[in-house]
Amino acid sequence: GDSVTQMEGPVTLSEEAFLTINCTYTATGYPSLFWYVQYPGEGLQLLLKATKADDKGSNKGFEATYRKETTSFHLEKGSVQVSDSAVYFCALRNQEYGNKLVFGAGTILRVKS
Amino acid sequence: EPEVTQTPSHQVTQMGQEVILRCVPISNHLYFYWYRQILGQKVEFLVSFYNNEISEKSEIFDDQFSVERPDGSNFTLKIRSTKLEDSAMYFCASRGEATNEKLFFGSGTQLSVL
């Protein structure tokens, strides 16, 4: 079945450092890809998405590009802030198999000032 | 932004007891979901619900589990005869009519089975 693999955390960075969180997927067909973020004590929030190959999703300085050739959707941010500390989840949705989200394990990001 | 509300935030129960986890989805949403995350593991799909019936369920969602939308606003997950391995964070989510509408998640209920 479909699956998502994320880099393990926690990832600890200093403020203004460059962030990359790797995400690769296995799926048939053409899934949509998502990054969700969970801040402490809150629910999962959609951060960005891409629905087809070569699409770039972006939001709040974060970006991810849908790379079908490498089955990847890596999350990047040029300069992280302490407020970016959260858990980041990569996910896919494959309409061939209903509309449920398939999540990765999540990556904890800690940003130090 | 509208919110999905889940209660309680924490639930402790004894093995073998029944629990009901409650969710209030966003008011004009039509699709409802339950996911769970066992500590240190992936967020897993449990069930989706539309038009007053289950539209999809995972192999995790066995006869021990049931969902209900009793009054048009609440969406509940009942776990009968809880087991230790049911301990997890349970997330409710909802979305509107369009296929590509985003899911809105609640902040979760942490269930601990002792």
Side-chain angles (χ1 to χ4, degrees), chain A residues 22-47:
Chain A
N22 289 339
C23 170
T24 56
Y25 68 91
T26 302
T28 57
Y30 301 93
S32 296
L33 303 175
F34 305 83
W35 277 100
Y36 278 81
V37 59
Q38 185 180 26
Y39 299 104
E42 299 184 17
L44 296 161
Q45 301 173 25
L46 179 64
L47 180 60

Side-chain angles (χ1 to χ4, degrees), chain B residues 1-103:
Chain B
E1 191 168 68
E3 288 185 347
V4 174
T5 306
Q6 287 186 245
T7 54
S9 56
H10 293 87
Q11 174 88 50
V12 180
T13 190
Q14 296 292 323
M15 192 169 55
Q17 296 296 304
E18 175 182 287
V19 294
I20 297 176
L21 309 184
R22 301 182 191 282
C23 170
V24 179
I26 293 168
S27 61
N28 60 346
H29 282 184
L30 300 175
Y31 294 83
F32 313 110
Y33 304 81
W34 283 100
Y35 289 81
R36 79 172 185 190
Q37 185 181 28
I38 295 171
L39 186 64
Q41 298 184 25
K42 296 186 177 188
V43 176
E44 303 171 293
F45 168 77
L46 292 179
V47 65
S48 60
F49 191 86
Y50 171 74
N51 200 25
N52 283 319
E53 60 183 28
I54 290 173
S55 48
E56 189 178 357
K57 61 182 181 179
S58 71
E59 58 192 28
I60 302 168
F61 194 89
D62 59 21
D63 292 344
Q64 180 195 10
F65 294 89
S66 62
V67 289
E68 194 176 34
R69 189 157 162 79
D71 55 14
S73 62
N74 290 283
F75 179 53
T76 61
L77 175 68
K78 182 190 290 186
I79 310 175
R80 284 180 283 274
S81 189
T82 49
K83 304 188 284 267
L84 296 176
E85 54 265 37
D86 294 328
S87 296
M89 177 72 87
Y90 288 80
F91 293 103
C92 174
S94 70
R95 69 172 176 90
E97 177 74 38
T99 305
N100 62 353
E101 280 204 40
K102 72 176 186 180
L103 252 57

Side-chain angles (χ1 to χ4, degrees), chain A residues 50-62:
Chain A
T51 56
K52 60 183 187 296
D54 299 325
D55 267 3
K56 178 187 284 189
S58 61
N59 186 24
K60 299 181 182 179
F62 291 89

Side-chain angles (χ1 to χ4, degrees), chain A residues 8-112:
Chain A
E8 288 191 24
V11 174
T12 302
L13 296 173
S14 298
E15 216 166 13
E16 299 183 4
F18 185 87
L19 168 71
T20 300
I21 300 178
N22 289 339
C23 170
T24 56
Y25 68 91
T26 302
T28 57
Y30 301 93
S32 296
L33 303 175
F34 305 83
W35 277 100
Y36 278 81
V37 59
Q38 185 180 26
Y39 299 104
E42 299 184 17
L44 296 161
Q45 301 173 25
L46 179 64
L47 180 60
L48 54 83
K49 70 176 184 181
T51 56
K52 60 183 187 296
D54 299 325
D55 267 3
K56 178 187 284 189
S58 61
N59 186 24
K60 299 181 182 179
F62 291 89
E63 293 183 341
T65 301
Y66 189 142
R67 301 283 188 205
K68 192 161 178 62
E69 64 275 15
T70 53
T71 62
S72 65
F73 194 55
H74 304 320
L75 182 69
E76 296 181 336
K77 186 174 186 182
S79 176
V80 293
Q81 305 300 312
V82 172
S83 57
D84 293 326
S85 298
V87 185
Y88 292 82
F89 293 90
C90 186
L92 69 81
R93 187 167 70 204
N94 194 340
Q95 285 185 243
E96 288 191 26
Y97 299 106
N99 268 306
K100 65 179 183 289
L101 287 168
V102 176
F103 284 91
T107 303
I108 297 172
L109 171 65
R110 298 187 181 124
V111 181
K112 304 180 300 184

